DNA sequence: CACAAAAGAAACGCTTGCGTAACGATCGGC
DNA sequence: GCCGATCGTTACGCAAGCGTTTCTTTTGTG
């Protein structure tokens, strides 16, 4: 089920959501961090550092650093893979799920309020 | 004309657009910079540093720095207001308009490709 | 004309993210 | 058991953004 948007709607939606996010959220995730977070929560696990790096097209330290930051914020968690102890499996958290749920609501509401 | 989205559609759209943006765009604007850019191009002029700061809920130096960066990228331009020379009027550029046009296309296409 | 107010920029020290390169831990094949 | 390959992290120097404070220019008002 596709979403059909006009150029005005597309940019207007992005505008209002971005604006609201800047005004409200002190955490201020970077674009990369946001992409990683959404990937973790919207794509079926397991997620690894290597996998995320490949998906985003960035180097592994970028992922490590983003996980450090978002881990400190409680948005994600890291667990060593016991079957292959070289791997780290990235886990979702309740707080992270809540964060994205609120963010989704923000998008929906701003979309609803679009009057162009 | 509102845009009605389900939670899956809202986050899915954000996911795919963010992912694509990370992969493709080396400029890597911050959330604040993006909000400023969209404000300049979607809201009727004139735009001033002070006005943008108030709209975004940030301090003036944040706006000055963002304009420095985006000015260097050619996305916006600054012109002294001749009627009150204390003010600076922020101008749109062809390159900035093109940038947002491409970004809008990206959103539209990712929305169209959403199959949940 | 003096002087406070206003707008934007510059200065300051700090934090955070970046890319590259090096590192320790772990695995699998021989 | 060794040894190259793989995985994630750490280290390093650098660039960029942050908040606060200070400065410069310009305005308008007494």
């Amino acid at each position: 089920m596709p979403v059909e948007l006009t150029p005005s709607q597309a940019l207007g939606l992005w505008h209002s959501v971005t604006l609201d996010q800047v005004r409200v959220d002190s955490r201020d995730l970077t674009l990369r961090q946001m992409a990683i977070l959404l990937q973790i929560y919207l794509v079926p696990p397991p997620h690894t550092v290597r996998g995320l790096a490949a998906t985003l097209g960035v180097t592994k330290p970028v992922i490590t650093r983003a996980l450090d930051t978002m881990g400190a914020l409680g948005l994600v968690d890291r667990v060593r893979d016991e079957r292959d102890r070289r791997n780290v499996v990235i886990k979702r958290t309740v707080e992270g799920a809540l964060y994205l749920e609120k963010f989704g609501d923000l998008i929906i509401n701003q979309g609803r309020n679009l009057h162009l």
Side-chain angles (χ1 to χ4, degrees), chain A:
Chain A
M1 44 198 356
V3 174
E4 289 294 341
L5 295 170
T6 68
S8 278
Q9 285 175 331
L11 289 176
L13 180 61
W14 224 262
H15 178 218
S16 54
V17 171
T18 304
L19 215 51
D20 219 87
Q21 191 71 355
V22 165
R23 287 196 272 234
V24 167
D25 189 11
S26 59
R27 269 168 287 205
D28 200 27
L29 299 188
T30 68
L31 196 70
R32 287 173 166 191
Q33 289 167 348
M34 198 60 181
I36 292 169
L37 194 64
L38 286 163
Q39 180 75 15
I40 292 169
Y41 280 84
L42 296 186
V43 173
H47 297 287
T48 64
V49 172
R50 173 176 163 61
L52 290 172
T55 301
L56 292 240
V58 299
T59 59
K60 289 189 293 176
V62 168
I63 306 295
T64 295
R65 278 189 295 254
L67 294 179
D68 286 345
T69 302
M70 295 193 292
L73 293 174
L75 299 177
V76 298
D77 199 9
R78 270 188 277 206
V79 178
R80 202 102 227 167
D81 180 1
E82 287 304 330
R83 301 157 55 98
D84 182 343
R85 294 186 48 78
R86 287 173 303 182
N87 293 337
V88 163
V89 180
I90 292 103
K91 298 289 192 185
R92 302 168 184 169
T93 66
V94 173
E95 192 173 345
L98 227 73
Y99 178 80
L100 283 188
E101 185 184 322
K102 279 176 50 182
F103 185 62
D105 288 344
L106 169 60
I107 300 171
I108 292 171
N109 285 326
Q110 295 297 343
R112 204 172 275 140
N113 289 345
L114 273 187
H115 36 290
L116 303 167

